[in-house]
Amino acid sequence: MTRQLMLVTLAAMAAATPAISEIAPTAVAYTEGKISESLTGTPGDPVAGLKVMTTNALGNCVACHVIAALPDVPFQGNIGPALDGVASRYDEAQLRGIVANSKLTFEGTFMPAFYKTDGFVRPGNAYTGKAPEADLPPILTAQQIEDVVAYLVTLKE
Amino acid sequence: MREHMIKTLVASAAFGLALTGMAYAEPVDDKLVIEGEEGTLELVTSTKAPDHLQEVMDTIYSGWHYREDDTRAMQKDDFDNPAMVFVDRGRDLWNKAIGKNSESCAGCHNGPESMKGLRAVTPRVDAKTGKLMTIENYVDACVTERMGLEAWGWTGDKMKDTLALISMQSRGEVVNVAIDGPAAPFWEKGKEIYYTRFGQLEMSCASCHEENQGLFIRSDHLSQGQINGFPTYRLKDAGILSAQQRFVGCVRDTRAETFKPNSDEFKALELYVASRGNGLSVEGVSVRH
């Protein structure tokens, strides 16, 4: 195999399986609600995480949580606790577990699980109101979870 | 009407911004006194919760209390209430000889005022058939059986115009749907649906409208989800909505596969949610955002 062909092959593999070391939603190991290991092995990007948290179609965390550090983000909701200082209350493994499936940390919580694909009652295809035609993806990708966690750990008191 | 809506939109935006960081907002302390053609009418928009809700809340509030000043004002004057257009259309339809043999609603039922009181007690179980009947079910039975027409769409214009007209005849009557006797199994089913956490977001009606009433999801001030005001003119949709049509939107927003209007599930849910408003006034046609 020529060097060029090998590079092309590697690139094609990378495109087809973008996260070869990614942990699938159903394979995540929780310990008392915590996830110690990164879901991707790739460090999260706090800037990308902030975008996920403040974009309606992505995480939309500000729908329910105030982040006073972001005064320019309008219409912050108040159903959940404010996130300022959250990294002083929880460590990274706890935060990763809470974002992925908070119900394993806070029983019965209102907060949706952002990295979960089964166990739902009448799940739909995103916001179409219709049944999904294929396997349900998690609300956020593994890397988006890592990005959100990377932003959250900056919110120290 | 257009000017009103623009003012309302601007007011909503400013209101939402002002709320950032606010912990909780009480239902607005205000009275709904409506100026209409036949004088003024004061509606009951808050009262003691019905017995079956005593364990979860003391007071029930119409969704009217959770809306902005301009939106509330629109409902205080029939001239400003955009839903009245649909009531008028419903009246025209009521009088029209639309049936296969030129039947009209008025031909059998006389004026629409003969429907006074119906909105306050539906959904209800029909004594003869044992079926749970919404107003739409009654309309559908007339349209298909007595008038010999194709069924109207459950959320189509004709159905909702007629619903608006019939609902208006009960404005000011106190909601009092039966939850016992033959209604009990339907009510229990509706209650189960109300507390089931649907969809990928795993949210029930109660998650928002019972446990978090008064708080905000983004700019949305969470009401108790009462349906005494339905059908309602929804500014966001620039149209009139039935209660079950709103249920579709709510369930969809939990990333769930919704139920359809007139499904057994949504009919049962309509009965249950209506019963949570037993004691509030039927608002006829309301205005929300």
Side-chain angles (χ1 to χ4, degrees):
Chain A
M1 196 185 279
T2 67
R3 186 181 150 80
Q4 203 177 11
L5 181 61
M6 200 168 84
L7 278 176
V8 169
T9 311
L10 279 173
M13 277 172 62
T17 49
I20 207 144
S21 59
E22 191 174 299
I23 301 172
T26 48
V28 177
Y30 290 89
T31 313
E32 292 168 351
K34 290 178 284 197
I35 307 173
S36 306
E37 262 186 87
S38 164
L39 297 173
T40 61
T42 306
D45 170 3
V47 176
L50 181 57
K51 183 156 186 266
V52 169
M53 294 182 67
T54 55
T55 303
N56 285 7
L58 297 174
N60 200 18
C61 308
V62 293
C64 293
H65 298 280
V66 167
I67 307 173
L70 305 174
D72 294 339
V73 176
F75 308 126
Q76 298 183 18
N78 57 12
I79 285 179
L83 295 182
D84 298 282
V86 74
S88 302
R89 297 191 287 278
Y90 303 102
D91 64 25
E92 185 184 320
Q94 287 172 315
L95 290 171
R96 186 180 288 111
I98 292 168
V99 176
N101 186 353
S102 59
K103 290 175 182 72
L104 301 177
T105 300
F106 309 113
E107 198 188 335
T109 180
F110 177 79
M111 182 171 163
F114 289 88
Y115 200 62
K116 181 179 147 179
T117 52
D118 55 9
F120 303 117
V121 182
R122 289 179 75 87
N125 178 6
Y127 294 104
T128 63
K130 298 191 172 110
E133 284 164 10
D135 286 348
L136 206 63
I139 299 171
L140 297 179
T141 65
Q143 193 56 46
Q144 284 170 332
I145 300 280
E146 291 304 322
D147 293 345
V148 168
V149 172
Y151 175 74
L152 291 175
V153 297
T154 69
L155 294 175
K156 289 226 160 81
E157 214 92 75
Chain B
M1 185 161 96
R2 171 163 293 176
E3 194 192 8
H4 253 286
M5 280 176 51
I6 290 166
K7 273 199 313 208
T8 306
L9 286 173
V10 172
S12 323
F15 183 74
L17 280 171
L19 290 168
T20 310
M22 194 186 271
Y24 171 84
E26 292 285 344
V28 180
D29 184 16
D30 193 2
K31 280 195 184 317
L32 181 50
V33 181
I34 297 180
E35 301 284 337
E37 273 180 17
E38 290 158 21
T40 60
L41 175 68
E42 180 169 349
L43 300 185
V44 178
T45 54
S46 73
T47 189
K48 184 174 169 284
D51 289 347
H52 69 87
L53 277 187
Q54 284 297 320
E55 279 176 25
V56 292
M57 59 179 80
D58 300 326
T59 308
I60 51 175
Y61 295 95
S62 159
W64 180 79
H65 280 281
Y66 296 80
R67 303 284 73 101
E68 295 79 0
D69 293 352
D70 276 19
T71 310
R72 292 200 317 282
M74 287 170 90
Q75 204 183 325
K76 287 180 178 174
D77 190 330
D78 284 350
F79 191 73
D80 292 334
N81 183 338
M84 290 304 160
V85 173
F86 302 89
V87 175
D88 289 342
R89 284 200 332 204
R91 186 173 287 108
D92 291 343
L93 187 57
W94 181 272
N95 290 317
K96 220 168 163 182
I98 52 174
K100 216 171 178 181
N101 297 307
S102 298
E103 301 93 339
S104 68
C105 303
C108 288
H109 301 288
N110 301 314
E113 58 280 0
S114 60
M115 296 292 133
K116 186 175 165 65
L118 185 65
R119 173 70 181 83
V121 295
T122 47
R124 71 175 175 198
V125 175
D126 183 88
K128 278 186 211 153
T129 63
K131 284 185 182 163
L132 186 64
M133 301 292 282
T134 58
I135 289 179
E136 291 96 318
N137 290 132
Y138 284 114
V139 172
D140 177 67
C142 274
V143 166
T144 58
E145 291 163 26
R146 294 182 177 182
M147 291 174 149
L149 298 173
E150 291 283 313
W152 292 348
W154 290 99
T155 56
D157 287 348
K158 287 177 184 166
M159 184 63 92
K160 287 194 291 185
D161 292 351
T162 308
L163 174 64
L165 177 70
I166 293 174
S167 182
M168 262 302 280
Q169 310 312 311
S170 301
R171 183 163 73 175
E173 305 256 324
V174 171
V175 177
N176 185 25
V177 294
I179 66 172
D180 53 3
F186 296 104
W187 185 82
E188 289 292 347
K189 179 178 178 171
K191 183 177 179 182
E192 191 194 323
I193 292 169
Y194 190 89
Y195 286 100
T196 299
R197 296 182 67 163
F198 288 107
Q200 197 171 11
L201 298 185
E202 298 176 282
M203 290 175 185
S204 68
C205 308
S207 301
C208 285
H209 298 293
E210 181 175 290
E211 292 156 28
N212 289 297
Q213 55 180 291
L215 297 177
F216 288 83
I217 286 197
R218 215 77 207 240
S219 62
D220 277 341
H221 191 191
L222 291 175
S223 71
Q224 292 181 346
Q226 296 287 355
I227 57 171
N228 59 304
F230 279 78
T232 189
Y233 186 87
R234 194 169 188 237
L235 298 168
K236 212 182 272 180
D237 296 326
I240 202 157
L241 267 75
S242 66
Q244 291 188 30
Q245 200 173 8
R246 187 58 220 136
F247 294 167
V248 168
C250 268
V251 177
R252 179 198 61 213
D253 288 349
T254 69
R255 293 174 81 114
E257 180 188 0
T258 64
F259 300 101
K260 289 190 166 59
N262 198 44
S263 60
D264 289 346
E265 288 86 358
F266 271 174
K267 285 172 66 180
L269 183 62
E270 183 175 342
L271 170 63
Y272 177 71
V273 178
S275 80
R276 292 174 71 100
N278 273 351
L280 296 172
S281 292
V282 172
E283 293 180 16
V285 284
S286 65
V287 188
R288 302 289 188 260
H289 73 210

